[in-house]
Amino acid sequence: MFRWLPLFLGLLLAPAAIAQETARLDIGASSLISEKKGWWGRPSLELTLTLSQAVPYRAVIVGDPPRLIVDLKDTDFDELKPSQLFGHDSVPGIRWGDFRQNWSRIVLELPGPYDITSAGQRTLPPQATIRVALDPVDEEDFAPLPSATAALRNLPEPAVLPVPATPPEGLTVMLDPGHGGIDPGAIADGENEAELVLKFAKELKASLEAKGITIGMTRDSDVFVGLEARMTAAREAQADLFLSLHADALPTGQAAGATIYVWTPRADNRAAQQLATRHDRSDLLSGVDLKGKDDQLASVMMDFARTDTQPRSENFASFLTSRLALHGIGLHDRPVQGAAFSVLKSPDIPSVLLELGFITDPHDRANLISPEWRKRMVAVVTEAILGWAQDERARTAHLRQ
């Protein structure tokens, strides 16, 4: 019973008379701190939000997947992005924005089961600070609220979309097993990356096709396929998602666990200019004729296309990370990272590169060659794709209204 106490503190202990002006988040004075109390297990987390004034708020834990939801009354995030929050990469994903009249919502996707250990607001004019502390708990001790409305009945239930039995009609996914042929990729202890990721891709293909998803593969045998040809294959297949699969090598002890890469926006301009210079215009952007356009205009048009695909790529990365964490798949310390990999450059197709693990790490290598582990990983990735696809369908339907 007492574990529910922090859920109500924000409303019961908020100042009796709160100015109606909109509070603003001070991103520079806010943070998400991750601290491990030992070398094992998940870290404790502390979310600090510094606002221009005190506001009614609430903090709750919900499940499936585990998330911290913080609702703030009369609060504006302006043009601030979650990626600007210090420590944002401590969790699989963060989202925020308006969700109903006069209320804003922050959603932290957690790397496993957690409990709120304390929540409070302190006012030191001209600012107020909200702190929410979380500790990891075992699965059997995880007691999320069945819905976010249990703490405040007059707020709507957060959208928790079940994984659909069938995907949106017409969904096409292009799987890209890295390397192949003359390029075996990373090699360790008699295993090579190209063979391992191809085997996984075939197993994932079978799982996704069983769900009714149309699957293409950039290669289905031990052959070499150029980087740009991989993107071209996805575009010709009119893929809704491009998923590149790897199991790279890094010095022993430097990296282990699954890692997800999305395109790094900081590299957009350079990459777009290189693409516009090096490749046929018609091969750059589906449905848009760039032939005869100068490099600057071609780059601008590709940047415009990426304003839609980049958030969708990041959204899939969040779905995938949260599912991996929920099912206990080992993750890299920084599970989602940005990179300027060639296979992520496509401006018109949401694209993600998944490092299944690092072949140079003995534990990861044992996983990669284990049929049981691959079966588990296939189920997780399938679930993530189905969840992301349903979210995309809901988003598209909303935009059409």
Side-chain angles (χ1 to χ4, degrees):
M1 176 178 180
F2 293 104
R3 75 166 60 233
W4 285 35
L5 184 59
L7 311 179
F8 300 92
L9 289 179
L11 293 167
L12 297 180
L13 301 184
I18 295 178
Q20 294 301 308
E21 291 82 4
T22 300
R24 300 188 182 280
L25 178 68
D26 183 345
I27 195 71
S30 302
S31 63
L32 177 61
I33 303 300
S34 171
E35 181 180 3
K36 277 197 173 184
K37 297 180 179 179
W39 62 267
W40 66 93
R42 287 170 280 117
S44 296
L45 300 169
E46 183 176 270
L47 175 66
T48 299
L49 303 171
T50 300
L51 305 172
S52 58
Q53 65 186 39
V55 298
Y57 79 101
R58 64 163 186 168
V60 298
I61 297 287
V62 297
D64 193 28
R67 289 161 292 157
L68 168 68
I69 293 180
V70 180
D71 289 327
L72 306 163
K73 195 170 188 294
D74 298 320
T75 302
D76 190 353
F77 294 104
D78 294 320
E79 298 300 320
L80 298 173
K81 298 180 180 179
S83 58
Q84 295 174 271
L85 179 70
F86 177 82
H88 68 92
D89 53 359
S90 301
V91 294
I94 302 179
R95 303 184 297 278
W96 62 44
D98 297 336
F99 86 104
R100 64 160 290 173
Q101 186 176 6
N102 300 327
W103 284 88
S104 297
R105 170 166 287 182
I106 300 174
V107 179
L108 270 70
E109 296 187 8
L110 302 172
Y114 275 78
D115 187 23
I116 296 176
T117 55
S118 66
Q121 181 169 210
R122 183 182 182 188
T123 303
L124 290 174
Q127 292 184 319
T129 301
I130 295 173
R131 284 192 172 87
V132 182
L134 308 170
D135 275 346
V137 295
D138 294 332
E139 189 70 44
E140 58 268 24
D141 297 323
F142 184 46
L145 294 181
S147 74
T149 58
L152 195 59
R153 294 293 177 182
N154 67 336
L155 291 182
E157 184 173 350
V160 180
L161 301 176
V163 175
T166 58
E169 185 177 354
L171 180 67
T172 300
V173 176
M174 179 63 70
L175 300 180
D176 173 44
H179 309 283
I182 60 173
D183 175 18
I187 298 174
D189 198 30
E191 302 290 342
N192 76 69
E193 180 182 4
E195 292 179 0
L196 290 175
V197 296
L198 178 59
K199 181 178 294 185
F200 180 85
K202 289 181 176 180
E203 293 168 349
L204 179 58
K205 177 177 183 286
S207 173
L208 293 170
E209 286 180 335
K211 298 293 184 180
I213 300 173
T214 300
I215 300 299
M217 290 180 61
T218 57
R219 67 181 184 94
D220 57 10
S221 60
D222 187 24
V223 296
F224 175 79
V225 180
L227 295 176
E228 307 301 344
R230 296 170 188 262
M231 294 190 300
T232 299
R235 193 166 294 110
E236 290 176 345
Q238 298 183 327
D240 300 291
L241 177 67
F242 181 88
L243 180 58
S244 191
L245 302 167
H246 288 259
D248 277 317
L250 285 176
T252 303
Q254 183 171 323
T259 313
I260 301 159
Y261 292 93
V262 295
W263 180 251
T264 303
R266 289 187 300 272
D268 278 356
N269 290 338
R270 176 177 60 84
Q273 290 168 2
Q274 289 176 346
L275 280 171
T277 300
R278 290 167 45 208
H279 301 286
D280 293 336
R281 304 282 193 225
S282 59
D283 189 41
L284 289 177
L285 189 58
S286 178
V288 178
D289 184 9
L290 299 181
K291 294 179 180 178
K293 309 297 184 184
D294 61 33
D295 289 349
Q296 183 176 3
L297 178 57
S299 297
V300 168
M301 294 177 75
M302 284 191 292
D303 285 341
F304 181 76
R306 192 169 280 124
T307 61
D308 176 66
T309 55
Q310 183 70 16
R312 294 165 64 198
S313 299
E314 294 172 354
N315 189 32
F316 176 68
S318 295
F319 266 91
L320 184 52
T321 309
S322 63
R323 267 55 176 187
L324 290 169
L326 184 64
H327 289 274
I329 299 291
L331 290 167
H332 187 275
D333 289 341
R334 291 179 55 211
V336 180
Q337 301 183 36
F341 298 140
S342 294
V343 290
L344 299 179
K345 288 180 181 178
S346 178
D348 56 326
I349 303 173
S351 305
V352 168
L353 186 147
L354 170 61
E355 291 279 3
L356 296 166
F358 292 88
I359 196 172
T360 44
D361 179 80
H363 180 73
D364 283 2
R365 187 168 61 251
N367 284 339
L368 290 165
I369 62 179
S370 165
E372 292 78 14
W373 183 89
R374 290 198 310 273
K375 181 178 180 181
R376 187 170 155 215
M377 187 68 155
V378 162
V380 170
V381 177
T382 299
E383 182 180 319
I385 290 174
L386 289 170
W388 174 82
Q390 179 168 339
D391 190 68
E392 283 288 293
R393 178 170 56 181
R395 183 186 68 88
T396 302
H398 175 74
L399 291 175
R400 289 174 177 170
Q401 291 178 351

